Amino acid sequence: MRLAAQTLIDGRGAGEVLKLGAPISFWGGVDPASGRITAAPHPDHGAGIAGRVLVLPATIGSSSSSAILLELLRIGQAPAALILAEADAILTLGVVVAQEMGYTTIPVLCAPLAPFATGQHARIAPGGAIEIFPPT
Amino acid sequence: MTLHLSTEDTDLLAGHAGPGPAMALRVVAEAARLLGAKRLVPIVSAHIDGCLYHGDSGVFFAERLVALGARVSVPATLNVGALDLMHPEIVRGDAHHETMSRRLMEAHLALGCTASWTCAPYQAGHRPALGTQVAWGESNAVAFVNSVLGARSNRYGDFLDLCCAIAGRAPYCGLHLSENRRAAMVLDITGLSEALRREEAFYPVLGALLGGVAGGEVAAIIGVPSNIGEDALKALGAGAAARGAVGLFHVVGVTPEAPDLETALQGQSPARTFKVTAEDVRAARDSLSTAQTTDGSLDCVALGSPHFSLEECRALAAFAADRRFQIPVYVCTGRHVMARLAAEDLESRLTACGVTFVVDTCVVVTPILKGVSGTMMTNSAKFAHYGRANTGYGTVFGSLKDCADSAVAGRIVRDEAIWR
């Protein structure tokens, strides 16, 4: 399946889809050293976000989430791409700062989330073109 | 929507003021694009919440700005750091954490920020004027600067507050614009007893209630006594901003943009009115107690989120009345208060009772409490909100008098009568 998404940060990325079952705050909810979800009551508790195409229903909580994403980008434990239901300036700012710091960055897109499911593979091309492949 | 940059903006981006300001403005302009702002607005003040260590990348970012010759272009106070620079021995932490926290704090000073190290900069002399545009971080400080001082800030966070302070500009959107400062809803507390509305401990609870009811909406509160003190407004804003995404509220007859309800509503009708009952207040109060305690045991008392003022320290000394505390009592405050406490001989009196002063930081953002679990009593809605997740301690909410009496008794003592 192909989708055209709005790009917040343009770029290329591919990986296995992880669609979160609930909103998350990266600060206090994702371990900045490993990229694992540590938020205790979260349905995806324990899942790793590194290298995944992370599909987020919403972000909540602290503005320090941008700092956690920046740290994940620096150490190579960030998702391969972020797909958001609505534009989020806080998380995306972490990628903007990563660009300034010369770290490898990732695409951040806004798209309807219905076509996505955990276990699919997704590939993002510049300009916001997303290809979704069924689980193998 | 397209972002329009002025000639001054494009000159700054082109590096006319050097590479540091250019980098800061690139970040501000990208944020403006993401937020859908049409242009940038000049600011006159900033409060920067960038000195808590979340990873080495944040340190490298601040040091990059220093290396590129950046300086803040407006008065910029600093929020708490992860170290007590005045009493370093009270912080538990590993060597890497300490080294990087210190580098982060030093980089911000090298950028020209003020060594205020407080989450209550508005009580440390940083009070921008009514109607001025500012870029503030730290949720309680944002709520206070918008609501109580009437300056205009969005809820800024990591990196963006600092970049705005260097660039001297912010994305012109959200609460920077008059029309978005209109109260969309009314929170009516006129049905509560006057005694409750005069009670200091009511205001952090009202804040938690406001945060839950309003979420990210601007509310106008009616029924607050016109002589309410600044510490009560501070506690109200901190509770609201911890529980919800509250950046601005109006207290009719008290705060500067709400001389009357019609002005706060900008002449329009509110979308809804929420009438607060005594049951709502008790439910909100109980939501601030997360400890599963049945035997009344208590391990410590934590005060000062936001940082305790001189008046709050005086009130604690009056309630303590030179009695000796049986459990640790932490008073988190800023250097601006410590200097005054020494002059009034209050530091030695409270220390003699058993108070541990925590300066430049607080017990919920820095590992100071003993162990990783226990029960903490507090009069702060913000400590109650973040206590368990950040420290492992369950919380019990009480008035300042309850906190002092409990510290003396070494177990939970609460006066229920004030909540009727």
Side-chain angles (χ1 to χ4, degrees):
Chain A
M1 191 192 337
R2 288 163 190 276
L3 284 177
Q6 180 202 347
T7 58
L8 298 178
I9 304 281
D10 207 357
R12 224 177 254 291
E16 191 186 337
V17 171
L18 174 62
K19 183 177 181 177
L20 298 187
I24 196 163
S25 167
F26 270 43
W27 183 77
V30 177
D31 175 14
S34 68
R36 290 215 166 266
I37 294 176
T38 52
H42 198 276
D44 300 294
H45 178 82
I49 65 171
R52 309 288 286 273
V53 172
L54 188 66
V55 179
L56 289 156
T59 54
I60 50 171
S62 171
S63 62
S64 295
S65 291
S66 42
I68 304 302
L69 182 55
L70 178 68
E71 184 67 6
L72 292 171
L73 287 161
R74 182 182 74 87
I75 63 172
Q77 298 292 333
L82 294 180
I83 302 194
L84 310 171
E86 20 185 289
D88 173 287
I90 286 176
L91 210 47
T92 313
L93 195 74
V95 186
V96 170
V97 171
Q99 277 173 342
E100 288 292 335
M101 296 301 291
Y103 304 153
T104 304
T105 65
I106 56 172
V108 182
L109 309 177
C110 251
L113 304 189
F116 294 93
T118 295
Q120 295 168 332
H121 283 257
R123 190 158 63 207
I124 291 105
I130 307 175
E131 268 191 287
I132 306 174
F133 306 96
T136 47
Chain B
M1 199 178 298
T2 320
L3 176 66
H4 176 77
L5 295 176
S6 69
T7 314
E8 291 78 15
D9 297 336
T10 48
D11 284 353
L12 209 55
L13 278 177
H16 289 198
M23 173 174 163
L25 190 58
R26 281 197 300 276
V27 173
V28 174
E30 273 295 288
R33 183 179 66 81
L34 291 166
L35 292 164
K38 288 179 190 158
R39 66 178 178 92
L40 307 181
V41 66
I43 57 165
V44 298
S45 139
H47 178 65
I48 293 159
D49 184 16
C51 284
L52 286 178
Y53 172 73
H54 300 304
D56 291 358
S57 51
V59 183
F60 299 153
F61 173 73
E63 290 179 346
R64 170 74 61 86
L65 286 166
V66 174
L68 294 178
R71 297 275 298 177
V72 295
S73 62
V74 296
T77 41
L78 286 167
N79 206 56
V80 296
L83 298 174
D84 181 333
L85 297 173
M86 296 176 86
H87 319 101
E89 69 285 356
I90 69 173
V91 176
R92 301 179 289 113
D94 66 33
H96 182 73
H97 182 273
E98 192 196 325
T99 304
M100 296 311 274
S101 296
R102 195 171 288 273
R103 276 173 60 177
L104 187 61
M105 294 170 93
E106 282 165 359
H108 280 81
L109 294 179
L111 291 168
C113 303
T114 306
S116 48
W117 312 123
T118 183
C119 50
Y122 45 82
Q123 292 185 326
H126 192 177
R127 295 173 79 93
L130 175 66
T132 53
Q133 302 287 355
V134 305
W136 279 36
E138 160 52 38
S139 67
N140 102 80
V142 175
F144 193 99
V145 80
N146 270 318
S147 310
V148 182
L149 301 183
R152 300 180 172 201
S153 179
N154 279 322
R155 299 166 60 243
Y156 288 95
D158 291 57
F159 314 127
L160 189 52
D161 49 11
L162 181 59
C163 288
C164 287
I166 292 166
R169 294 155 167 78
Y172 194 43
C173 57
L175 296 176
H176 289 293
L177 296 160
S178 296
E179 61 266 32
N180 296 331
R181 300 177 68 84
R182 181 179 79 81
M185 66 163 296
V186 174
L187 193 71
D188 178 356
I189 65 164
T190 54
L192 303 175
S193 76
E194 280 203 34
L196 182 56
R197 287 186 273 152
R198 279 197 303 269
E199 174 57 51
E200 198 81 4
F202 166 64
Y203 286 92
V205 172
L206 182 64
L209 199 153
L210 170 64
V213 170
E217 275 183 292
V218 179
I221 309 173
I222 56 173
V224 175
S226 60
N227 62 350
I228 181 180
E230 184 167 303
D231 287 319
L233 292 168
K234 168 175 88 168
L236 169 59
R243 183 62 61 87
V246 174
L248 167 66
F249 58 87
H250 301 293
V251 182
V252 173
V254 175
T255 58
E257 290 166 86
D260 51 55
L261 183 58
E262 196 185 9
T263 306
L265 294 166
Q266 295 185 9
Q268 299 181 44
S269 302
R272 60 194 173 113
T273 296
F274 186 98
K275 273 192 84 74
V276 179
T277 65
E279 290 75 48
D280 295 328
V281 174
R282 283 193 290 271
R285 178 203 62 176
D286 293 344
S287 76
L288 298 174
S289 294
T290 62
Q292 312 285 327
T293 170
T294 49
D295 61 357
S297 65
L298 190 61
D299 299 297
C300 70
V301 170
L303 304 167
S305 180
H307 271 171
F308 244 29
S309 68
L310 180 63
E311 289 68 28
E312 288 170 307
C313 291
R314 285 181 185 143
L316 175 63
F319 288 130
D322 297 312
R323 294 177 295 172
R324 176 79 199 164
F325 297 146
Q326 301 302 311
I327 50 174
V329 174
Y330 301 94
V331 171
C332 306
T333 188
R335 298 166 173 214
H336 58 288
V337 170
M338 290 310 291
R340 303 279 301 278
L341 285 181
E344 291 190 19
D345 205 31
L346 270 176
E347 183 179 357
S348 54
R349 266 184 67 200
L350 285 169
T351 306
C353 294
V355 164
T356 300
F357 285 100
V358 175
V359 185
D360 299 336
T361 184
C362 84
V363 296
V364 161
V365 299
T366 295
I368 289 171
L369 304 181
K370 297 184 178 78
V372 292
S373 66
T375 302
M376 159 208 301
M377 191 171 197
T378 185
N379 71 341
S380 156
K382 185 159 186 167
F383 272 165
H385 187 79
Y386 290 108
R388 186 182 286 286
N390 287 21
T391 68
Y393 275 60
T395 57
V396 176
F397 181 83
S399 68
L400 184 59
K401 181 175 184 298
D402 292 341
C403 288
D405 290 344
S406 298
V408 169
R411 59 182 175 76
I412 298 167
V413 178
R414 289 206 291 185
D415 178 5
E416 295 294 323
I418 61 175
W419 301 100
R420 292 191 190 118

